[in-house]
């Protein structure tokens, strides 16, 4: 049995990870700051958890204390969402990057050499695309005039032709488009150099769009699945932006938890993995599946858009399958139906 510290273990994903680790007979401690962006009420200590350290990752003494007797760390604590803008910079960088730096320094000092990092597909920015004539291409930033005229698909930067979305693999370039995304890229870089300097093992799990029971309700920082779910609960039609054909990979939180468990086995060095269902779904299909299972109202496709959004992001789940033996067990069609009526957190 190993003793694992889960940072952010009281949150939506962290509590699912904690439950999966306990079910696999690990000893689990949790470090969680109960940040007001994620918790309206003080979190409860999950059943079976040995110790709950209610502290911020930037509190060096608390982190040192929490690492006592620990064999590995699963680092889920972070401010999530896109970041509303520049005023969010200090708190995002503080929680996500300074917090990670304090954790890594304390792990080095305590001789803890194994880390699973919750990263995100937002490190890629726009997904991958292919032009029939020019092969793999990277589209230019989205053009507000084109979007306003309903041209949502990015054109080929060389010939202007329509592109086909392709699978993003872990070697795709990083192109963060939000404050949050920039903090996730920085976390990965910090963890990679820490792994090299300490001869340690890091798995960085690039979560795609995670959903499932216990997801926080609609906030300015929520992902689209929680927003639609909250609208339905309030009797309002989900508002689908663009034309609803934008593709994402919705992955169930229990699969994300299983991926964390599998990632504890990686060898030394820094290993990034897409964590996805492998079954891309359009935002329109997702809205329709939730509305249908909830019993209405039907989604409205609005044609509105957010300039900061990317059009398509589809994951290749192959590296995680080959190296971690991880494949998602919950197909979006099943998971979304269940999520439509599952409880959210307040
Ligand atoms: C989301 C998360 C991101 C996380 C990533 C991977 C947010 C805001 N974004 O990114 O932090 O790392 O998943 O798990 O938490 N949309 C609508 N109607 C709405 C809201 C959104 O149609 O009311 C559309 C958007 O235009 C976009 C898609 O849904 O095309 C996804 O939006 P969202 O979940 O906010 O952002 P992601 O980029 O997928």
């Amino acid at each position: 049995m190993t003793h694992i510290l889960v940072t952010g273990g009281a949150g939506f994903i962290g509590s699912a990870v904690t439950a999966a680790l306990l079910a696999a007979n690990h000893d689990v401690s949790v470090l969680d700051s109960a940040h007001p962006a994620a918790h309206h009420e003080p979190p409860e200590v999950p059943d079976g958890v040995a110790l709950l350290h209610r502290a911020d990752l930037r509190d060096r003494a608390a982190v040192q204390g929490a690492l006592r007797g620990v064999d590995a760390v699963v680092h889920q604590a972070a401010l999530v969402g896109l970041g509303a803008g520049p005023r969010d910079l200090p708190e995002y960088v503080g929680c996500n990057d300074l917090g990670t730096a304090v954790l890594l320094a304390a792990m080095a000092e305590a001789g803890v050499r194994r880390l699973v990092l919750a990263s995100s597909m937002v490190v890629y920015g726009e997904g991958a695309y292919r032009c029939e004539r020019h092969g793999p291409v990277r589209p230019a930033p989205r053009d507000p005039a084109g979007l306003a005229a309903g041209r949502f698909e990015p054109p080929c930067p060389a010939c202007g032709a329509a592109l086909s979305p392709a699978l993003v693999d872990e070697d795709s370039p990083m192109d963060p488009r939000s404050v949050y995304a920039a903090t996730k890229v920085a976390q990965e870089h910090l963890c990679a150099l820490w792994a090299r300097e300490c001869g340690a093992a890091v798995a960085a799990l690039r979560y795609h769009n995670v959903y499932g029971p216990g997801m926080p309700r609609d906030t300015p920082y929520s992902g689209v699945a929680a927003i639609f779910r909250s609208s339905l609960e309030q009797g309002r039609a989900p508002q689908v932006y663009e034309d609803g054909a934008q593709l994402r990979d919705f992955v169930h939180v229990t699969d994300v938890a299983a991926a964390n468990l599998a990632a504890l086995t990686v060898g030394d060095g820094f290993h990034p993995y897409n964590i996805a269902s492998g079954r891309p779904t359009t935002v329109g299909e997702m809205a329709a599946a939730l509305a249908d299972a909830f019993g209405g109202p039907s989604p409205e496709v609005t044609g509105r858009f957010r300039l900061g959004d990317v059009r398509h992001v589809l994951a290749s789940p192959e590296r995680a399958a080959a190296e971690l033996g991880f494949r998602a067990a919950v197909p979006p069609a099943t998971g979304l139906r269940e999520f439509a009526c599952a409880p959210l957190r307040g």
Side-chain angles (χ1 to χ4, degrees):
M1 182 158 77
T2 44
H3 184 178
I4 295 165
L5 176 68
V6 183
T7 73
F12 162 51
I13 299 176
S15 50
V17 172
T18 297
L21 292 169
L22 289 168
N25 285 323
H26 291 291
D27 236 349
V28 180
S29 297
V30 162
L31 184 133
D32 199 296
S33 71
H35 196 285
H39 301 271
H40 296 289
E41 288 148 26
E44 284 167 26
V45 187
D47 280 348
V49 164
L51 273 171
L52 172 69
H53 305 270
R54 192 154 292 157
D56 193 294
L57 271 176
R58 291 166 284 186
D59 177 344
R60 197 163 167 207
V63 173
Q64 284 168 331
L67 284 170
R68 225 162 277 137
V70 159
D71 302 298
V73 175
V74 177
H75 179 26
Q76 309 288 321
L79 270 189
V80 299
L82 299 176
R87 71 169 182 278
D88 280 343
L89 269 162
E91 190 60 2
Y92 269 81
V93 173
C95 285
N96 298 0
D97 296 335
L98 179 55
T100 299
V102 171
L103 174 67
L104 293 174
M107 286 175 72
E109 207 173 84
V112 183
R113 298 273 183 273
R114 180 167 291 284
L115 176 72
V116 179
L117 170 70
S119 185
S120 169
M121 58 78 162
V122 292
V123 299
Y124 300 122
E126 223 2 298
Y129 293 86
R130 268 194 83 78
C131 171
E132 239 167 60
R133 271 181 59 206
H134 297 97
V137 290
R138 290 175 60 70
R142 296 179 91 184
D143 161 35
L147 290 168
R151 289 192 300 276
F152 300 118
E153 292 294 339
C156 173
C159 66
L163 300 174
S164 323
L167 298 180
V168 176
D169 67 25
E170 290 81 354
D171 299 326
S172 305
M174 292 196 179
D175 182 14
R177 306 274 179 107
S178 67
V179 171
Y180 169 65
T183 66
K184 283 284 149 186
V185 170
Q187 276 189 329
E188 285 205 8
H189 288 322
L190 293 172
C191 291
L193 70 86
W194 175 82
R196 222 168 27 244
E197 282 178 10
C198 298
V202 177
L205 304 185
R206 294 177 180 162
Y207 301 161
H208 285 251
N209 295 61
V210 186
Y211 72 96
M215 200 170 178
R217 252 164 241 282
D218 187 358
T219 73
Y221 305 94
S222 297
V224 65
I227 293 174
F228 288 174
R229 175 67 184 73
S230 300
S231 304
L232 288 166
E233 203 169 67
Q234 294 157 14
R236 292 186 287 112
Q239 301 292 299
V240 178
Y241 297 156
E242 305 181 19
D243 56 1
Q246 57 275 43
L247 283 156
R248 291 291 187 281
D249 189 309
F250 295 95
V251 58
H252 198 270
V253 69
T254 54
D255 281 324
V256 171
N260 274 273
L261 203 62
L264 281 166
T265 58
V266 294
D268 285 356
F270 178 81
H271 309 275
Y273 298 102
N274 283 328
I275 300 302
S277 75
R279 300 175 201 222
T281 307
T282 69
V283 171
E285 285 164 354
M286 190 272 285
L290 288 182
D292 189 47
F294 192 81
S298 297
E300 284 166 18
V301 180
T302 64
R304 289 208 306 273
F305 62 90
R306 300 185 302 198
L307 195 55
D309 274 332
V310 297
R311 177 63 175 168
H312 305 295
V313 193
L314 324 184
S316 165
E318 292 312 321
R319 191 184 290 183
E323 295 182 15
L324 303 178
F326 167 76
R327 274 204 194 273
V330 185
T334 316
L336 288 168
R337 208 175 314 124
E338 171 232 64
F339 177 60
C341 301
L344 302 179
R345 62 168 70 202

